[in-house]
Amino acid sequence: MASEASASTSAATAAQQPVAIVCVGMAGSGKTTFMQRINAHLHAKKEPPYVINLDPAVLNVPFESNIDIRDSVNYKEVMKQYNLGPNGGILTSLNLFATKVDQILGLLEKRAAPDPEQPGKKLIKNILVDTPGQIEVFVWSASGQILLESLASSFPTVIAYVIDTPRTASTSTFMSNMLYACSILYKTKLPMILVFNKTDVKDASFAKEWMTDYDAFQEALQRDDEGNAFGGVEGEGAGSGYMGSLLNSMSSMLEEFYAHLSVVGVSSMTGQGVDEFFDAVREKAEEFKQDYLPELERKRKERDEQKRKMRQKELDKMMKGMSMGESSGTAGPKTADNDDSEIESNNGDDDDYADVDDEYDREGLQARYAAAMEANQDSTMGR
């Protein structure tokens, strides 16, 4: 009965876990405005999120952040101190901030866990993370990977890739965005939602059609080809050249990629499509628990096992060193020549002691230690 109760409690705790929504997107895609919109939407529903700003170079943000990288790292001072440009300053600021990832997770877990002393405490249901507009600085950096993996190890994490819909109307720009989204998906290995922003300027139905209907994209590609959109020779069409052929091949290659994505059209100005976005977030959170979380746990176990083996290897070397020291002590004092020859013989791998290693592997660490200490005591008493 107790085990069933604990299992039900852990299941309830897992169900109550907040979802981390990490917003990434090209500069000018309306990412910060989108963050403001979904933040206001959650506040209107009386479900205020926990907001994290990871852009150290932004002058001001149109929403209140619970954690702001600018409170910990002075971006301009980093540029001046390390003699860096804008992108190098952002990258270094993220690297410095990543050293505080344990504190960030501690704060998030504290806000997400129920407090017995405060039974009426309202738990957060969403964590919103705004990232720098220089998308490659966050996605492809070590600090960005540390922050994402740390979030994903504690909470269901979803990537919201924000796209500027009016600028994606041409087939070439659309395909460039899709390739970038594909690279981010396989780099982060996290569920992704494509957010076609600014639908108040241009509706995103064309993009959804291109992703689900191969023939529709081919027709659009043909129109761009005939309209000389690829910069080919007037009247000859570019489809027979490199660009048209490349886009044609990419569209067929990415069909499998599209199947793993959720696509929503959103207007950050009017709020249109925000409800659909959060429906997609809930769907991807469940997908994270079913498909992504087991993989993350498997990798975590592999890392823990690797660390355990490394520790065991070091302990074995230590025990072998104690044993060798005792045997050399009974043989009499070493000469300088003996020291040199032993150091030289041990410069490479421990192949000469492979049999000894195997023997130690078969014995328990405690037994080895006791045997070494007993031998040491006997030799001391013998003297």
Side-chain angles (χ1 to χ4, degrees):
M1 293 293 291
S3 60
E4 291 179 3
S6 61
S8 61
T9 302
S10 60
T13 303
Q16 292 173 359
Q17 274 191 313
V19 181
I21 304 170
V22 182
C23 296
V24 299
M26 302 284 190
S29 61
K31 180 169 49 62
T32 302
T33 312
F34 173 72
M35 276 280 298
Q36 179 191 19
R37 171 57 63 183
I38 59 177
N39 181 42
H41 177 82
L42 291 172
H43 274 279
K45 294 182 67 176
K46 307 298 182 184
E47 295 178 358
Y50 199 90
V51 183
I52 302 174
N53 174 44
L54 294 181
D55 191 349
V58 66
L59 292 178
N60 51 64
V61 289
F63 49 83
E64 186 176 349
S65 302
N66 298 92
I67 296 177
D68 197 326
I69 187 174
R70 297 174 299 169
D71 295 335
S72 304
V73 183
N74 189 322
Y75 165 70
K76 290 185 178 179
E77 192 62 33
V78 167
M79 287 177 61
K80 187 186 300 182
Q81 184 174 346
Y82 296 100
N83 194 26
L84 299 169
N87 286 350
I90 292 173
L91 180 58
T92 305
S93 297
L94 280 170
N95 289 340
L96 293 170
F97 189 70
T99 61
K100 301 179 180 291
V101 68
D102 290 337
Q103 299 176 36
I104 297 169
L105 287 180
L107 290 170
L108 291 172
E109 289 169 356
K110 186 177 179 181
R111 291 294 305 273
D115 189 352
E117 297 180 358
Q118 299 178 1
K121 173 185 172 184
K122 192 172 182 63
L123 305 180
I124 57 173
K125 294 184 178 180
N126 294 279
I127 301 167
L128 306 183
V129 183
D130 193 17
T131 60
Q134 288 79 355
I135 188 172
E136 66 283 352
V137 172
F138 177 77
V139 174
W140 299 101
S141 66
S143 54
Q145 185 175 358
I146 290 170
L147 291 165
L148 279 176
E149 288 185 353
S150 300
L151 267 179
S153 66
S154 300
F155 308 101
T157 305
V158 177
I159 301 292
Y161 181 58
V162 184
I163 300 172
D164 188 340
T165 307
R167 293 184 182 177
T168 316
S170 70
T171 52
S172 57
T173 312
F174 170 82
M175 191 54 64
S176 298
N177 264 297
M178 293 303 102
L179 286 174
Y180 215 126
C182 182
S183 66
I184 293 172
L185 176 69
Y186 289 106
K187 177 66 171 67
T188 61
K189 297 180 177 63
L190 293 170
M192 176 180 284
I193 303 172
L194 294 186
V195 181
F196 283 89
N197 196 16
K198 306 181 184 180
T199 54
D200 54 308
V201 179
K202 183 172 181 61
D203 190 76
S205 57
F206 74 93
K208 295 178 182 178
E209 186 181 18
W210 287 354
M211 293 178 68
T212 55
D213 189 342
Y214 177 79
D215 293 332
F217 182 79
Q218 294 302 310
E219 291 174 6
L221 187 62
Q222 184 65 29
R223 287 195 300 271
D224 284 352
D225 180 15
E226 293 172 353
N228 200 31
F230 304 138
V233 179
E234 186 69 30
E236 293 184 5
S240 57
Y242 173 75
M243 192 63 174
S245 176
L246 178 65
L247 294 177
N248 189 20
S249 301
M250 287 179 179
S251 63
S252 58
M253 178 193 71
L254 290 176
E255 277 190 294
E256 180 65 24
F257 164 67
Y258 295 150
H260 298 283
L261 298 177
S262 293
V263 183
V264 294
V266 173
S267 171
S268 297
M269 292 298 294
T270 65
Q272 177 186 359
V274 172
D275 287 324
E276 288 80 358
F277 169 74
F278 280 104
D279 289 340
V281 167
R282 285 188 288 271
E283 178 186 333
K284 288 298 177 182
E286 290 301 318
E287 183 180 321
F288 174 90
K289 295 173 186 176
Q290 294 173 9
D291 300 334
Y292 290 81
L293 189 58
E295 179 67 14
L296 288 172
E297 289 178 347
R298 184 186 65 81
K299 288 184 178 179
R300 191 183 301 116
K301 287 179 181 178
E302 286 181 357
R303 287 195 296 267
D304 292 343
E305 180 65 17
Q306 189 175 7
K307 289 179 182 178
R308 189 194 65 78
K309 288 181 179 178
M310 290 297 295
R311 285 195 298 268
Q312 185 65 30
K313 186 177 180 181
E314 293 300 320
L315 287 170
D316 287 346
K317 285 184 178 179
M318 181 189 72
M319 298 307 300
K320 182 172 65 180
M322 290 177 64
S323 177
M324 294 296 293
E326 292 304 324
S327 61
S328 62
T330 56
K334 294 181 182 178
T335 63
D337 293 338
N338 288 339
D339 282 337
D340 291 340
S341 62
E342 184 173 339
I343 291 172
E344 184 178 359
S345 65
N346 286 333
N347 278 339
D349 296 331
D350 296 331
D351 293 336
D352 295 338
Y353 301 101
D355 295 336
V356 178
D357 280 339
D358 290 340
E359 180 182 350
Y360 282 126
D361 286 338
R362 287 192 296 268
E363 298 176 1
L365 177 61
Q366 201 68 24
R368 281 179 265 159
Y369 182 76
M373 292 303 294
E374 185 178 351
N376 183 27
Q377 187 176 4
D378 291 342
S379 61
T380 305
M381 291 177 66
R383 293 189 191 121

